[in-house]
Amino acid sequence: MPDPSQYTDRPWMDSDAEPFIKVQSVSKQFGSFTAVDNVDLDIYKGELFSLLGGSGCGKTTLLRMLAGFETPSSGNIFIDGVNMNDVPPYERPVNMMFQSYALFPHMTVENNVAYGLKREGFGKIEIKQRVDDMLAMVELTQFSKRKPHQLSGGQKQRVALARALVKSPKVLLLDEPLAALDKRLREQTQFELMNIQEQLGVTFVVVTHDQEEAMTLSTRIAVMDTGRFMQIGTPTEIYEFPESRLVANFIGNANMFQGRIIENGPDHVVVQSKQPECEIYIDHGLEIQEGHKVWVALRPEKIKISKQAPDEARANQVKGVVHDIAYLGKISIYRVKIDDDTLIEVTSPNLSRPKDGNLAIDWEDEVYLSWEASSSVVLSK
Amino acid sequence: MTLQGISRSLQRNWKSVVVFIPFFWLLIFFLAPFFIVFKISLSEATIASPPFLPMINWVDEGVMHIKLVFDNFAYLWEDDLYVKTYISSLKISSISTLICLLIGYPMAYAIVRSSQTRKNILLMLVILPFWTSFLLRVYAWMGLLADQGTINNLLIAIGLIDEPIRLLYSHFAVYVGIVYTYLPFMILPLYANMEKLDWTLLEAAEDLGARPATTFLTVTVPMTLPGIIAGSLLVFIPATGEYVIPDLLGGGNVLMIGRILYNEFNANVDWPVASAVAIALLLVLVLPMMLYQHVQGKETESK
Amino acid sequence: MNNGKKSRFLFTVTCFGLAFLYIPMLMLIVYSFNYSKLVPVWGGFSTRWYGVLFESEEVWRAVTLSLKIATVNACFATILGTLAGLALVRFGQFKGRTLFSGMITAPLVMPEVITGLSLLLLFITLKEFIGWPDKRGFTTITIAHITFSMAYVAVIIQSRLAGMAQDLEEAAQDLGAKPFRVLTDITLPLIAPGMLAGWLLSFTLSLDDLIIASFVSGPGAVTLPMLIYSRVRLGLRPDINALATIIILVVAIGVLLAAWIMLRQQKQRQLELQMSGED
């Protein structure tokens, strides 16, 4: 008997948990163009869920269907057990933070935040109280009488957040919430968002094209492309165990080798790669028969680069010549030429300062690359 | 229905109401009149009130007798005067449009390229006449062009001429009047178009070795073409049907179709012929009008 | 052509163009203060023609009628044009949309003689069948003016709405506002400047119209342009110069005032923007 409490942080692992948002074979066509193509998705209460993908991948359309601005061409969307297909946006228990913030330019900050409460018919005193609390939370109390055009970008973003949260929605939808902010402010705001989400326990669904943002914020990420989900999982799962070349490349960088399985044990597989010519030993089992062609992904930071030949282990090592170096300060990126057609990218932390301006590993140096059995992953799709 | 019921159904159907009201208005007061004009253009004139014979007669028990008369159109075609007038109208409005373009294009260009404050002032100076009475601006030229008018007086005073020359009541006066009143209509669409242009394209062309004249012909003109078309049509279409300018400045010497229509209707009281003139004018202008709608439609979409 | 030559050319054309636009109006004003009855012959400074103008009951009647028509026209045209603009930009596809949008833009380029003639024939036909309008005058002129003014308003509203992001309306819906509420809370306040511009334009267009009014007017109803026209057809008249001067001054003051207000708002906005950047 599994202890149900072990899943409180990871409700998607619990087969008994009821999803809070249920997207059921939903498609959306605009004319002949299919924006969202028959997707299924469960999002659980209290999650901070990210829809990640490039422009035109369908993530915004999906978000707009959750908000009710678009109706699915087919399929159903349930929020808290209620089918939303015929519920107009103004009656849904969700609120949205727009990419442009969409603050009403003719209303003060205070009135912007109060707008949703007024529509619900709360009393004046209660509205005032809740607006004040919310403005205090986002630290905008002294700006309450200002109009949106008198605010800076970061302040506008916080008004938009306050306005969307003040109605205590069951779900908050955020469309590229940080895209309009500069880099420094974006990092700071990421943590603020997470704090607020934890504090209020509201389910967040975030649309973003920024993989770093998705990695930092989310409990789970859905990577989207051409209207479909490529993979859904926690940030670690997506990064460490990408299922496809597209996901491996979209989240971070990866070296990709094609090879044939020559050995398949219960706890390991060995892949023979042609380019580069080497054997790759991987410490996870697979349900694929020997002899099959597969792709193997290897993250640049998981490769050790060294001028000395490693110990005699036969697998998981290749020899090459440094083709390019990018010195980024805390790390360096090396491109190592293995043969005429193969370049392997390696990132390595700069643990010590280069002596007399000479790099420890220089252009045209002959180097050995090696990695652990747990470093590479076979792409299953 | 109770008041509450009305308000509830209004809440539900307000979108249809929003569309319906202006739609209905235009159907009755814009579209329907054209059918009536068309109908009357196919009727026979008579001395009565209204001065035309109905084309549908009820002969004996419910036998309908429809009489269509194409005589009015045949009359237009056979009478030299009408054909000449159409051609003269088109000639006058085309030449005026060209002159407006030649003056308006550099002006719009100069306004767009000047500094922000100067731009606002210049733009206001162009718009201001647009808000003042059209009729009075035409009247102003009567004072300038008359035999005893300002220009003649000035020319005599400096000794260039001994006797007043005929300026008013001539083709020249009509051209001046049309260019004068319609110039802002040329400048404003051109300005709106040029303002949105990416001027670095011109620098790119120069950087790639195009001489100024080549840059102008191969980059500036094609990019401002929508503005040129919109402005030209805004001058050409109303100028073709112009009445006041040929009447006040052209006198009896300048034939324009707007005047013929007005006179046919008011002085001759020949409604069927007037209607036929209107329909023929509409046929002449329908292509430029559709072109204008097309250009405008594209402009709004690109926003 | 080098840059200096080019800008000198542009400058010359602009000056020439502006002179061309303004000298005739200037002469109109100068001669309104001419004592002589013969307009272009200077007979000394005088304001006697203003006196003649103000004493004429005919002029007052025409001014009153024109202002009345212009006001009613502007109000109706603004309402109808706004509705039409909303329908065209915000309602997506509906039955008859192409016809509707065609009918909205056509009056902008329709020659006035055609519009005037067709409306008159409509009014006559209507009278024959339903007995209305009984008498042509104020009502018929106003209806005719509304029909073409609303087209101008619709164009202004359309461009204003097209430039306004739909986000704001969606945000209001998202916060619980029903569509009608969105219209009154968000859309209308935001297009209000466009509606004001449309009102002013309709008002001016109506005051300016001669042709359509002469077609659809009946006995006894003489608008100001009709009065001016009937007088100037026969030649130059100093009292008309005086009237023109007054009209030009009123318009100039109005436009300058509007420009000044707009400029001040712009500056205010810039100031506030700088302020917010400093926090």
Side-chain angles (χ1 to χ4, degrees):
Chain A
M1 211 37 213
D3 173 15
S5 67
Q6 68 176 324
Y7 295 127
T8 45
D9 284 348
R10 291 166 295 163
W12 54 90
M13 307 278 287
D14 181 357
S15 54
D16 293 336
E18 266 298 306
F20 194 63
I21 301 172
K22 196 165 179 56
V23 175
Q24 219 171 45
S25 31
V26 163
S27 294
K28 176 71 187 177
Q29 269 104 22
F30 295 106
S32 61
F33 172 70
T34 305
V36 173
D37 191 1
N38 196 22
V39 299
D40 288 284
L41 177 65
D42 292 340
I43 298 174
Y44 295 85
K45 206 177 176 100
E47 269 204 86
L48 208 164
F49 193 93
S50 291
L51 297 168
L52 176 64
S55 62
C57 71
K59 57 188 194 301
T60 303
T61 308
L62 185 56
L63 191 79
R64 287 171 60 80
M65 285 195 280
L66 290 175
F69 299 130
E70 310 283 357
T71 25
S73 307
S74 64
N76 295 302
I77 292 174
F78 296 91
I79 295 176
D80 204 6
V82 182
N83 190 331
M84 287 287 140
N85 279 10
D86 296 323
V87 181
Y90 46 89
E91 279 167 11
R92 293 197 181 198
V94 302
N95 283 128
M96 176 143 158
M97 201 184 119
F98 289 77
Q99 181 174 10
S100 63
Y101 306 143
L103 300 179
F104 306 133
H106 56 304
M107 296 182 194
T108 59
V109 167
E110 203 173 32
N111 285 335
N112 261 287
V113 177
Y115 189 82
L117 295 174
K118 283 183 190 160
R119 295 290 75 75
E120 235 168 279
F122 284 105
K124 266 202 176 133
I125 300 159
E126 178 167 8
I127 291 178
K128 176 107 181 64
Q129 187 59 46
R130 284 174 72 170
V131 170
D132 286 351
D133 289 351
M134 200 41 87
L135 286 178
M137 191 181 89
V138 295
E139 292 162 13
L140 283 173
T141 308
Q142 72 268 40
F143 298 107
S144 62
K145 299 281 184 239
R146 286 214 182 164
K147 293 268 184 77
H149 68 263
Q150 296 166 295
L151 300 175
S152 69
Q155 290 165 347
K156 279 184 203 163
Q157 196 259 2
R158 291 193 332 255
V159 177
L161 186 64
R163 188 179 71 177
L165 280 173
V166 76
K167 287 184 77 177
S168 322
K170 291 179 180 169
V171 180
L172 184 69
L173 308 171
L174 302 99
D175 187 5
E176 303 274 5
L178 307 173
L181 305 179
D182 60 45
K183 195 170 184 305
R184 195 169 285 276
L185 201 55
R186 194 156 57 211
E187 278 165 16
Q188 184 194 330
T189 317
Q190 273 176 9
F191 291 104
E192 273 175 30
L193 265 185
M194 285 159 75
N195 283 340
I196 288 172
Q197 195 263 344
E198 217 160 294
Q199 216 176 312
L200 302 177
V202 179
T203 309
F204 276 32
V205 180
V206 181
V207 153
T208 179
H209 69 277
D210 182 335
Q211 47 117 346
E212 229 171 278
E213 188 176 305
M215 298 283 285
T216 324
L217 289 174
S218 328
T219 52
R220 283 192 303 153
I221 299 171
V223 183
M224 275 188 95
D225 186 57
T226 57
R228 281 182 219 174
F229 293 132
M230 303 311 291
Q231 190 172 354
I232 301 173
T234 63
T236 338
E237 279 166 6
I238 299 236
Y239 189 78
E240 300 295 347
F241 298 100
E243 288 172 353
S244 59
R245 287 202 290 159
L246 190 132
V247 173
N249 260 331
F250 194 78
I251 313 266
N253 294 325
N255 297 295
M256 230 83 73
F257 311 128
Q258 199 173 26
R260 203 176 288 280
I261 297 182
I262 52 171
E263 198 183 320
N264 193 352
D267 61 346
H268 73 279
V269 285
V270 179
V271 175
Q272 174 67 47
S273 156
K274 267 232 171 93
Q275 277 183 333
E277 184 92 43
C278 72
E279 274 180 20
I280 304 168
Y281 184 95
I282 302 161
D283 71 348
H284 63 85
L286 269 182
E287 289 178 13
I288 300 178
Q289 281 188 337
E290 276 173 31
H292 259 266
K293 264 192 174 175
V294 290
W295 282 92
V296 175
L298 181 56
R299 297 280 183 200
E301 75 279 6
K302 293 194 164 62
I303 303 174
K304 213 175 112 192
I305 183 166
S306 158
K307 282 205 236 180
Q308 281 87 42
D311 304 337
E312 63 276 18
R314 256 178 55 245
N316 294 354
Q317 56 172 292
V318 285
K319 198 172 127 186
V321 173
V322 176
H323 184 70
D324 242 331
I325 305 175
Y327 174 74
L328 303 182
K330 60 179 175 185
I331 58 162
S332 289
I333 301 174
Y334 303 91
R335 281 157 177 259
V336 179
K337 196 166 184 171
I338 309 299
D339 54 51
D340 281 348
D341 293 323
T342 318
L343 275 175
I344 294 185
E345 198 175 296
V346 179
T347 55
S348 170
N350 294 317
L351 298 174
S352 55
R353 201 173 289 159
K355 280 198 188 93
D356 310 324
N358 291 326
L359 298 167
I361 294 171
D362 214 338
W363 270 270
E364 306 301 333
D365 278 353
E366 198 163 87
V367 289
Y368 295 91
L369 305 181
S370 59
W371 59 92
E372 303 289 316
S374 61
S375 296
S376 53
V377 58
V378 175
L379 305 177
S380 52
K381 280 182 190 164
Chain B
M1 211 172 0
T2 62
L3 207 64
Q4 237 179 357
I6 291 173
S7 105
R8 208 174 309 130
S9 83
L10 200 67
Q11 277 273 350
R12 225 174 308 121
N13 300 317
W14 64 278
K15 276 193 178 182
S16 325
V17 175
V18 165
V19 179
F20 181 76
I21 296 174
F23 199 113
F24 189 68
W25 182 283
L26 287 170
L27 277 183
I28 293 194
F29 294 116
F30 188 74
L31 198 61
F34 286 108
F35 287 106
I36 296 174
V37 172
F38 191 63
K39 192 198 106 180
I40 293 177
S41 75
L42 297 174
S43 312
E44 246 179 309
T46 177
I47 297 169
S49 173
F52 60 90
L53 293 173
M55 67 181 182
I56 302 172
N57 284 315
W58 296 97
V59 193
D60 307 331
E61 289 104 43
V63 178
M64 203 165 69
H65 177 75
I66 300 178
K67 190 174 178 201
L68 293 181
V69 186
F70 288 96
D71 291 2
N72 301 312
F73 288 98
Y75 172 64
L76 291 192
W77 183 248
E78 278 155 19
D79 194 328
D80 235 17
L81 174 76
Y82 292 101
V83 179
K84 261 195 204 150
T85 311
Y86 276 110
I87 292 170
S88 149
S89 289
L90 288 175
K91 192 181 121 201
I92 291 172
S93 56
S94 318
I95 295 175
S96 311
T97 305
L98 198 67
I99 301 172
C100 277
L101 185 63
L102 290 179
I103 304 174
Y105 197 92
M107 279 182 83
Y109 195 94
I111 295 173
V112 169
R113 302 301 321 246
S114 49
S115 69
Q116 190 60 46
T117 339
R118 258 192 48 206
K119 194 192 276 185
N120 285 338
I121 293 172
L122 287 172
L123 207 59
M124 207 183 66
L125 285 174
V126 172
I127 295 174
L128 192 79
F130 179 79
W131 291 84
T132 55
S133 167
F134 161 76
L135 184 55
L136 289 173
R137 278 183 295 143
V138 177
Y139 169 69
W141 280 99
M142 288 175 74
L144 288 175
L145 297 173
D147 287 355
Q148 306 293 318
T150 317
I151 291 175
N152 269 319
N153 286 350
L154 200 72
L155 290 179
I156 291 171
I158 58 173
L160 224 58
I161 50 172
D162 299 324
E163 262 174 37
I165 43 172
R166 200 84 224 254
L167 294 172
L168 194 59
Y169 306 129
S170 67
H171 277 85
F172 170 75
V174 173
Y175 282 121
V176 169
I178 292 181
V179 172
Y180 178 68
T181 44
Y182 287 106
L183 188 58
F185 288 92
M186 179 63 85
I187 296 176
L188 292 176
L190 277 172
Y191 169 81
N193 172 265
M194 287 180 185
E195 202 195 28
K196 285 185 291 186
L197 282 191
D198 179 2
W199 293 96
T200 53
L201 291 179
L202 299 190
E203 287 164 11
E206 273 174 40
D207 183 60
L208 294 169
R211 304 172 135 274
T214 319
T215 308
F216 181 75
L217 285 176
T218 55
V219 182
T220 319
V221 169
M223 284 198 310
T224 50
L225 202 59
I228 294 175
I229 294 174
S232 299
L233 291 174
L234 272 183
V235 176
F236 177 79
I237 298 169
T240 309
E242 187 53 58
Y243 166 73
V244 174
I245 295 171
D247 193 59
L248 289 184
L249 301 179
N253 304 320
V254 180
L255 292 175
M256 281 193 81
I257 206 67
R259 256 187 93 216
I260 297 277
L261 195 161
Y262 194 91
N263 290 341
E264 208 64 67
F265 191 83
N266 282 322
N268 298 352
V269 204
D270 192 341
W271 291 14
V273 168
S275 299
V277 171
I279 294 289
L281 175 59
L282 207 57
L283 285 179
V284 172
L285 292 180
V286 85
L287 267 181
M289 277 156 104
M290 276 161 66
L291 183 62
Y292 177 76
Q293 287 219 351
H294 180 71
V295 174
Q296 277 312 94
K298 267 211 287 207
E299 282 286 283
T300 6
E301 262 171 45
S302 69
K303 274 181 198 159
Chain C
M1 218 185 331
N2 63 29
N3 254 355
K5 255 193 203 162
K6 187 168 140 190
S7 63
R8 213 170 320 139
F9 166 73
L10 288 176
F11 181 74
T12 316
V13 174
T14 309
C15 287
F16 169 76
L18 289 176
F20 178 60
L21 285 178
Y22 282 91
I23 285 177
M25 285 200 263
L26 216 65
M27 297 313 295
L28 211 60
I29 295 173
V30 169
Y31 282 112
S32 75
F33 297 105
N34 187 2
Y35 182 81
S36 161
K37 194 173 161 65
L38 285 167
V39 172
V41 182
W42 188 253
F45 181 86
S46 143
T47 53
R48 77 178 234 203
W49 299 111
Y50 288 87
V52 170
L53 189 72
F54 287 129
E55 274 162 28
S56 160
E57 205 180 306
E58 209 184 359
V59 170
W60 280 116
R61 260 208 311 272
V63 168
T64 325
L65 179 67
S66 273
L67 286 177
K68 247 167 54 186
I69 292 172
T71 311
V72 176
N73 160 62
C75 295
F76 274 89
T78 304
I79 295 170
L80 288 170
T82 305
L83 294 181
L86 274 172
L88 282 174
V89 181
R90 283 295 193 257
F91 289 3
Q93 276 301 327
F94 54 86
K95 244 190 230 166
R97 190 182 188 280
T98 319
L99 174 67
F100 189 44
S101 95
M103 285 197 298
I104 275 290
T105 34
L108 300 180
V109 284
M110 191 59 68
E112 288 164 322
V113 277
I114 296 183
T115 314
L117 173 72
S118 62
L119 273 165
L120 171 62
L121 295 178
L122 170 84
F123 289 134
I124 289 168
T125 313
L126 279 179
K127 189 183 173 183
E128 208 179 313
F129 283 102
I130 61 171
W132 178 92
D134 188 31
K135 210 171 71 200
R136 289 199 299 280
F138 172 78
T139 317
T140 50
I141 299 173
T142 311
I143 288 176
H145 284 182
I146 292 170
T147 307
F148 72 83
S149 302
M150 70 183 272
Y152 285 85
V153 179
V155 168
I156 294 176
I157 295 293
Q158 258 179 293
S159 74
R160 179 121 192 144
L161 277 173
M164 189 179 115
Q166 210 157 346
D167 286 11
L168 294 171
E169 285 147 326
E170 285 181 351
Q173 273 200 47
D174 184 64
L175 293 165
K178 297 200 173 96
F180 190 71
R181 192 82 211 198
V182 176
L183 183 74
T184 54
D185 281 1
I186 310 297
T187 316
L188 288 182
L190 290 179
I191 56 172
M195 289 168 71
L196 180 65
W199 194 95
L200 289 171
L201 187 60
S202 306
F203 188 83
T204 320
L205 286 169
S206 168
L207 272 188
D208 209 17
D209 168 67
L210 164 70
I211 311 285
I212 297 174
S214 344
F215 267 106
V216 300
S217 175
V222 179
T223 63
L224 189 60
M226 286 164 74
L227 179 82
I228 295 172
Y229 180 68
S230 68
R231 290 190 178 184
V232 302
R233 262 201 102 170
L234 307 171
L236 301 167
R237 291 188 51 138
D239 56 336
I240 296 297
N241 279 53
L243 182 64
T245 305
I246 294 171
I247 292 178
I248 290 171
L249 282 183
V250 169
V251 170
I253 289 170
V255 171
L256 284 175
L257 206 70
W260 182 69
I261 291 172
M262 254 158 53
L263 212 68
R264 222 183 47 164
Q265 273 179 344
Q266 225 171 24
K267 276 197 182 138
Q268 175 85 15
R269 209 153 252 246
Q270 265 163 5
L271 211 72
E272 284 167 350
L273 223 61
Q274 280 165 5
M275 234 165 61
S276 74
E278 279 161 18
D279 305 319

